[in-house]
Amino acid sequence: MRKVMGYIAGALALAAIWELAAIALGSPALPRPSAAVPAFVRLLPGLWPHGLRSFARVLVAMLIGTVLAVPLGLVVGRSARIDAVLAPIIFITYPIPKVVFLPILLVLLGLGNAPKVALIALIVFFQVLVTARDGARAVPEGTVLSVRSLGAGRFDVMRHVVFPAALPELFTALRISSGTAVAVLFFAESIAGTEGLGWFIVDAWGRIDYPSMFAGIISMALMGVVIYEGLDALEAWLTRWRRV
Amino acid sequence: MDVRGQHDIAASAPAGTGAGAPVGATATTFADAVPTPVLAFSDASFVYAGVGRQVEALSGLTFSVAPGESVAVIGPSGCGKSTMLLLAAGLLRPTHGGVQAHGAEVSAPSLGTALILQEHGLLPWKTVEDNAGLGLLIRGASRKHAREQVREALVHLGLGDFVRAYPGELSGGMRQRVGLARAVALNAGLLLMDEPLSALDALTREDVQNTLLKLWIQRGHAQVLVTHSIEEAVFLGRRIIVMSARPGSVCAVVENPDMGEPGYRQSPTFFEACGRLRVLLAAARRHLAEGQQPAGSQQPAEQGAVS
């Protein structure tokens, strides 16, 4: 309840700042919330399929990126030999802005969902991979020894020690990458395709329909909140031991 | 108080002989009288290979532990006590010499051996019952079966109301009891403990010491307790092994046959044993300060019943 009240208070504060900025600028490019919010409500029946499409793209991409990155990162972090081989490759490729691969992905995968999902998955993959590797390396050796003394093999150590120990850091990485993912989604959807919130926003911009454009922006913000809160709830459930 | 096997143990490891005899002592003279040890170090050495240098943690370590025996190991910081336990638990392999447990060379963690560490022993993301049952789970039991198995041990150790709690919700003493419950659930014949009580306050420490003693008397397992505390070594060690500074080896062996007697902690023999052990530790330190070899590497270790 406190969280909901916080969101309401935050939204009201933002609306007040937005209203003041719109009045001060007096530009049609920044409509007042009193125009944008009714536009959002009015356009909702046509907006939600775009929102759902964007949401599904982000969700699937984050899932793919995470599922691939977590096991690899944990293995790399716990094996000096594998780390010696893969860490240089990771360090060379990690700083490259993955968005530069969008043209290649569009050529290879077409204009549909695949290149957008692949691009976001790539971004999430690297952020989670690096965090998983660091998380696995940070597990105290004493903890590993105590479990190994029970007869645990590598898989048991990963399952009972390394993965749960790295979970809080993994969720931090996911939260950070979710912001990047939504930003990249907007970019990818605005360049190719005719669906998604990114396309909706750019299309409204092209038609100089600023209230509609802001209705899309509000939708994107709401999607970000849903993803963020979803990750928060999942983390709270999976790492409930941290709250004691 | 029924002090299990007290007289048998004292007889099996008489002064200057028996399972605890270091290199050069006359242990073999009584070999026939000594049961097959549950743990035996034979001239074991261990060298940690670091970046650009090597550290010899143990050198020529020789002693053994009989079934059902309670042995305390004490020595200066960094003398290799923890390394010795890791070798016994099969988590390290000796650089030279051998380590045998349950009659076989130790090459990996064994089903018959349980290890309790000072810290990191419990996983904070697992509940008390899941922590205690982890060994059973790893050894193939179902989660339900493991929980059922540990429930009795947890109730016995006063943790019956905390089975669903996380380690973060428990006091230090309770956490150590969960570690004990894990070892009890495994029904291991050899319990290795690496300073398990060092982080506890004095009263809790005494409480858990009493629990350890009670468990040892009831269950009949052999145990090796590594400790920095002279009082703890005397309270829980039927035989006390004093180790030299690095590279660690057996410096002296003290028989302590009154250990486990009712009221032992308040008895004159307890304080006498503590005093004697204190002198031995100081002597080991003095030898080192004078740049001499540790006593154990020069001559047969000093041995003898304290009381």
Side-chain angles (χ1 to χ4, degrees), chain A:
Chain A
M1 193 63 197
R2 184 184 285 181
K3 206 171 212 178
V4 174
M5 294 304 285
Y7 270 113
I8 291 169
L12 287 174
L14 273 174
I17 295 166
W18 180 3
E19 184 82 24
L20 289 173
I23 292 167
L25 283 173
S27 164
L30 185 64
R32 292 162 66 166
S34 51
V37 173
F40 169 71
V41 174
R42 180 170 42 84
L43 293 170
L44 206 54
L47 245 177
W48 75 262
H50 291 286
L52 202 65
R53 175 75 64 169
S54 294
F55 184 68
R57 283 169 177 164
V58 174
L59 213 62
V60 170
M62 288 184 76
L63 199 67
I64 292 170
T66 306
V67 165
L68 293 176
V70 170
L72 183 62
L74 297 181
V75 168
V76 170
R78 293 303 307 173
S79 166
R81 283 183 191 171
I82 298 174
D83 191 59
V85 175
L86 291 187
I89 300 170
I90 294 169
F91 293 151
I92 290 167
T93 49
Y94 180 62
I96 299 171
K98 309 301 173 297
V99 76
V100 300
F101 294 117
L102 183 60
I104 301 166
L105 292 172
L106 288 173
V107 170
L108 293 176
L109 302 172
L111 300 176
N113 290 322
K116 300 162 183 93
V117 168
L119 184 66
I120 297 167
L122 201 61
I123 289 162
V124 172
F125 173 81
F126 273 94
Q127 287 197 347
V128 174
L129 176 70
V130 171
T131 309
R133 174 183 174 269
D134 291 349
R137 285 159 68 97
V139 174
E141 213 47 46
T143 309
V144 175
L145 281 178
S146 81
V147 176
R148 278 187 56 212
S149 76
L150 299 170
R154 283 175 193 271
F155 178 74
D156 292 315
V157 170
M158 284 288 176
R159 178 185 161 198
H160 294 293
V161 182
V162 180
F163 177 64
L167 259 184
E169 283 77 21
L170 290 176
F171 272 102
T172 304
L174 274 174
R175 263 197 298 272
I176 293 167
S177 61
S178 70
T180 318
V182 172
V184 171
L185 175 78
F186 167 74
F187 180 70
E189 286 182 339
S190 67
I191 284 187
T194 54
E195 286 173 321
L197 289 175
W199 173 84
F200 185 90
I201 291 165
V202 171
D203 180 61
W205 178 34
R207 290 184 283 107
I208 324 178
D209 181 1
Y210 293 118
S212 293
M213 187 180 86
F214 270 85
I217 292 170
I218 291 169
S219 303
M220 208 151 226
L222 287 175
M223 187 177 74
V225 169
V226 169
I227 293 170
Y228 201 89
E229 285 298 328
L231 286 171
D232 224 33
L234 194 62
E235 181 182 13
W237 180 58
L238 288 175
T239 64
R240 50 196 178 276
W241 54 274
R242 295 177 81 204
R243 287 177 290 152
V244 299

Side-chain angles (χ1 to χ4, degrees), chain B residues 8-26:
Chain B
D8 293 344
I9 289 164
S12 70
T17 64
V23 182
T26 54

Side-chain angles (χ1 to χ4, degrees), chain B residues 122-145:
Chain B
L122 299 186
L123 302 176
W125 41 85
K126 287 191 183 286
T127 59
V128 163
E129 62 183 350
D130 286 343
N131 261 297
L134 184 60
L136 294 170
L137 196 67
I138 285 170
R139 292 170 189 195
S142 69
R143 189 179 298 272
K144 187 176 171 223
H145 177 71

Side-chain angles (χ1 to χ4, degrees), chain B residues 195-245:
Chain B
E195 298 184 47
L197 315 181
S198 61
L200 305 180
D201 64 85
L203 282 177
T204 311
R205 193 171 180 145
E206 281 196 9
D207 189 34
V208 182
Q209 284 170 356
N210 289 332
T211 306
L212 278 173
L213 182 65
K214 196 172 139 194
L215 272 179
W216 175 68
I217 289 167
Q218 287 174 344
R219 295 189 64 251
H221 59 266
Q223 60 185 22
V224 178
L225 170 76
V226 161
T227 179
H228 273 300
S229 162
I230 289 172
E231 286 76 17
E232 192 166 287
V234 173
F235 185 70
L236 289 171
R238 177 62 57 81
R239 192 153 53 95
I240 303 159
I241 291 173
V242 181
M243 283 179 70
S244 67

